[in-house]
């Protein structure tokens, strides 16, 4: 099939009359509605289809059920509506990028694509798909879509939904996602309400500017979960037991007052909580036992509960605008400097620090950073150093006990 793409000139192989499969060399370009007849009689278009920058008004490509390659519209300021009633499958990428006046995409039979990418389609209001039940990747950015509920995937690899000013709700039956999930800057003014009732595991997620993030079934985060600049007052992950290799971070969630992780036992990376100024109590992690990276807490909290903590491989660095001298003393008991050594890295605690909320990066004042360079537990060097330190302190503690 790829061989067909190697021939430079456009050539329809076989007769142009009604046929099951039309094989195109390279890409078929459609410049206006009349040219859509190039493919209208093909059941399967073997090749890719490009809608030209000069195509205008309503473009309908009904006829084919399948396009084995890509279907693309790029840098077009003239198309108003784009549709097909017959197309069920696009083997490659379905892409509209910088299609500035298109207001409606109606592909009512479309169920499967490799990827769907709608970028800079500022007037796009209507998206009607099969619904779409199979796609490895979804990118939707800079559109006027109010809903994306015709995307109905049980699983996917990558999803990136950003800068859709009118998008205020996102509800999906998504059960798992194996690469990355990014949400930010949707629903300008009101934020985005996200409901993912079936989501059980997710590789990496970066969630910003959402009003609600509901994940009642989430059990595992394989990589990292980051929540920045959200508008929710509370966040809970009632079923989350661990992150396999990455961090959990909450930074600059200005209304967040209640954080709940009742069954979280292990964080494979680090934990960063910073500049969530309404969060007065940090008791979300009272069942947390193991943190393979570092812990950094910055805020205006006056109470901190890490009563199950048994092992921190990196540093533990706390600072609050409030008086946390008691907290400092309690956690000191876990330190490697006079405590039982459960915290292998450097322990630092500062009470009544006016500037506690100004420090939101992932570097700790002890050893290395919370994320230690993306997904590794506190950076390889820091990790080794801390393990060695843990060893020494353990021996010292043992010796002094006799
Ligand atoms: C977007 O498309 C328009 C034509 O509609 C073109 O003039 C412009 O250069 C394109 N912008 C980018 C960033 O490619
Ligand atoms: C994520 O973790 C779940 C549960 O342990 C596992 O089934 C899944 O294969 C993991 N996914 C990736 C991408 O590592
Ligand atoms: C946790 O997940 C189970 C299914 O595994 C579900 O029955 C339960 O309702 C979930 N908990 C919450 C608080 O939603
Ligand atoms: C999460 O993202 C990091 C950084 O991009 C990457 O190294 C890691 O493999 C991802 N984790 C998973 C489980 O996909
Ligand atoms: C949205 O989130 C981004 C990333 O954290 C942040 O820079 C931006 O200020 C937020 N926007 C609003 C309106 O909160
Ligand atoms: C925080 O949320 C938990 C679980 O959703 C709830 O039980 C608790 O009452 C809330 N606490 C406050 C102070 O709102
Ligand atoms: C802390 O959050 C507030 C919003 O609540 C924001 O204005 C400020 O810039 C943030 N500070 C830092 C250092 O990110």
């Amino acid at each position: 099939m790829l061989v067909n793409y190697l021939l430079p000139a456009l050539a329809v192989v076989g007769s142009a009359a009604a046929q099951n499969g039309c094989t195109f060399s390279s890409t078929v370009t459609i410049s206006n509605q009349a040219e859509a007849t190039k493919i209208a009689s093909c059941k399967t278009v073997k090749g890719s289809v490009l809608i030209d920058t000069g195509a205008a008004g309503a473009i309908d490509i009904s006829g084919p059920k399948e396009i084995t390659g890509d279907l693309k519209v790029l840098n077009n300021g003239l198309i108003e509506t784009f549709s097909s009633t017959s197309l069920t499958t696009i083997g490659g990428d379905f892409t509209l990028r910088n299609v500035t006046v298109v207001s409606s995409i109606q592909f009512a039979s479309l169920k499967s694509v490799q990827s769907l990418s709608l970028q800079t389609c500022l007037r796009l209001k209507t998206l009607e798909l099969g619904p779409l039940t199979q796609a490895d990747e979804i990118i939707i950015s800079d559109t006027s879509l109010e809903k994306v509920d015709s995307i109905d995937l049980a699983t996917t690899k990558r999803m990136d939904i950003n800068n859709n000013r009118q998008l205020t709700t996102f509800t999906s039956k998504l059960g798992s996602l194996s690469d990355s999930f990014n949400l930010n800057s949707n629903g300008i003014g009101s934020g985005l309400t996200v409901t993912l009732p079936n989501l059980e595991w997710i590789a990496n997620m970066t969630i910003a500017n959402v009003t609600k993030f509901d994940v009642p079934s989430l059990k595992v985060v394989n990589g990292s979960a980051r929540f920045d600049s959200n508008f929710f007052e509370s966040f809970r992950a009632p079923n989350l037991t661990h992150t396999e290799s990455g961090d959990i971070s909450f930074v600059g969630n200005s209304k967040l007052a209640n954080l709940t992780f009742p069954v979280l036992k292990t964080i494979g990376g680090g934990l960063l909580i910073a500049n969530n100024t309404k969060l007065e109590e940090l008791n979300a992690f009272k069942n947390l036992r193991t943190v393979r990276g570092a812990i950094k807490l910055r805020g205006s909290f006056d109470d901190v509960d890490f009563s199950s903590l048994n092992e921190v491989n990196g540093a533990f660095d706390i600072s609050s605008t409030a008086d946390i001298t008691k907290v400092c003393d309690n956690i000191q008991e876990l330190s490697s400097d006079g405590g039982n050594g459960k915290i292998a890295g450097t322990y630092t605690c500062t009470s009544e620090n006016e500037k506690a909320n100004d420090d939101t990066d992932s570097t700790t004042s002890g050893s290395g950073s919370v994320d230690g360079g993306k997904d590794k537990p506190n950076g390889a060097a820091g990790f080794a150093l801390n393990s060695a330190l843990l060893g020494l302190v353990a021996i010292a503690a043992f010796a002094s006990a006799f």
Side-chain angles (χ1 to χ4, degrees):
M1 183 175 70
L2 277 174
V3 168
N4 298 320
Y5 302 152
L6 298 177
L7 302 169
L10 169 70
V12 181
V13 178
S15 86
Q19 49 202 292
N20 280 337
C22 308
T23 302
F24 293 91
S25 62
S26 177
T27 297
V28 197
T29 302
I30 293 175
S31 303
N32 52 52
Q33 183 56 42
E35 286 185 13
T37 54
K38 283 179 185 171
I39 58 167
S41 60
C42 313
K43 205 167 175 191
T44 300
V45 175
K46 293 181 180 160
S48 291
V49 176
L50 175 70
I51 310 298
D52 191 61
T53 52
I59 300 291
D60 181 89
I61 56 162
S62 294
K65 278 190 173 336
E66 182 180 355
I67 293 173
T68 61
D70 303 330
L71 173 59
K72 292 190 173 174
V73 190
L74 308 173
N75 303 320
N76 177 304
L78 301 169
I79 289 184
E80 288 158 23
T81 65
F82 188 38
S83 60
S84 166
T85 52
S86 58
L87 199 61
T88 61
T89 306
I90 297 172
D93 302 331
F94 183 19
T95 304
L96 278 83
R97 190 165 58 237
N98 185 25
V99 183
T100 47
V101 303
V102 75
S103 63
S104 152
I105 296 174
Q106 285 177 295
F107 282 66
S109 303
L110 189 62
K111 293 198 156 47
S112 171
V113 301
Q114 175 85 43
S115 78
L116 170 68
S117 176
L118 307 174
Q119 293 176 277
T120 321
C121 299
L122 296 168
R123 301 215 192 139
L124 181 61
K125 275 234 169 263
T126 305
L127 176 65
E128 191 186 319
L129 305 172
L132 188 69
T133 52
Q134 265 184 35
D136 282 348
E137 182 175 61
I138 303 286
I139 302 173
I140 299 182
S141 68
D142 299 289
T143 73
S144 291
L145 290 171
E146 288 168 16
K147 6 180 226 185
V148 290
D149 52 5
S150 67
I151 297 170
D152 194 24
L153 309 172
T155 184
T156 190
K157 290 186 177 148
R158 205 161 90 78
M159 202 177 270
D160 187 350
I161 301 180
N162 69 79
N163 292 284
N164 302 289
R165 305 175 69 87
Q166 316 288 328
L167 190 67
T168 53
T169 58
F170 179 64
T171 300
S172 162
K173 68 170 188 205
L174 196 68
S176 64
L177 187 150
S178 63
D179 188 340
S180 64
F181 184 42
N182 175 46
L183 288 179
N184 78 75
S185 309
N186 297 295
I188 298 307
S190 54
L192 180 70
T193 296
V194 183
T195 313
L196 302 168
N198 300 340
L199 187 67
E200 292 203 355
W201 62 261
I202 188 160
N204 276 302
M205 60 176 158
T206 314
I207 309 300
N209 322 115
V210 310
T211 312
K212 189 177 122 185
F213 195 73
D214 196 13
V215 283
S217 308
L218 184 64
K219 291 184 178 66
V220 177
V221 172
N222 311 84
S224 292
R226 297 170 198 271
F227 296 88
D228 294 342
S229 308
N230 291 292
F231 313 121
F232 42 57
E233 284 165 29
S234 73
F235 175 81
R236 53 201 296 259
N239 271 324
L240 184 67
T241 58
H242 64 282
T243 73
E244 285 187 339
S245 62
D247 312 326
I248 290 184
S249 88
F250 284 83
V251 175
N253 301 286
S254 60
K255 297 181 179 169
L256 182 63
N258 192 355
L259 193 57
T260 317
F261 285 92
V263 298
L264 182 68
K265 295 264 184 313
T266 306
I267 297 179
L271 173 66
L272 172 65
I273 307 282
N275 196 24
N276 306 290
T277 51
K278 294 268 163 61
L279 195 60
E280 289 172 6
E281 284 177 14
L282 257 181
N283 52 12
F285 303 100
K286 56 175 175 255
N287 294 316
L288 182 65
R289 290 182 59 79
T290 307
V291 177
R292 302 233 160 79
I295 299 179
K296 174 169 172 174
L297 311 175
R298 289 284 182 281
S300 300
F301 44 80
D302 52 21
D303 196 15
V304 175
D305 186 349
F306 277 85
S307 46
S308 303
L309 199 61
N310 192 49
E311 183 187 355
V312 180
N313 295 136
F316 196 143
D317 181 359
I318 320 180
S319 184
S320 176
T321 57
D323 180 353
I324 52 164
T325 41
K326 268 210 192 106
V327 169
C328 291
D329 290 350
N330 285 343
I331 296 176
Q332 171 72 32
E333 288 169 17
L334 305 175
S335 81
S336 294
D337 181 12
N340 59 16
K342 287 180 174 175
I343 300 166
T346 312
Y347 172 61
T348 326
C349 189
T350 332
S351 185
E352 293 174 278
N353 170 10
E354 270 175 23
K355 300 212 157 85
N357 284 303
D358 296 351
D359 178 6
T360 56
D361 66 36
S362 60
T363 55
T364 59
S365 49
S367 44
S369 73
V370 170
D371 57 10
K374 297 285 171 272
D375 234 0
K376 282 187 209 78
N378 200 32
F383 182 76
L385 184 71
N386 292 331
S387 308
L389 192 65
L390 172 65
L392 288 177
V393 172
I395 289 163
F398 180 77
S400 70
F402 292 87

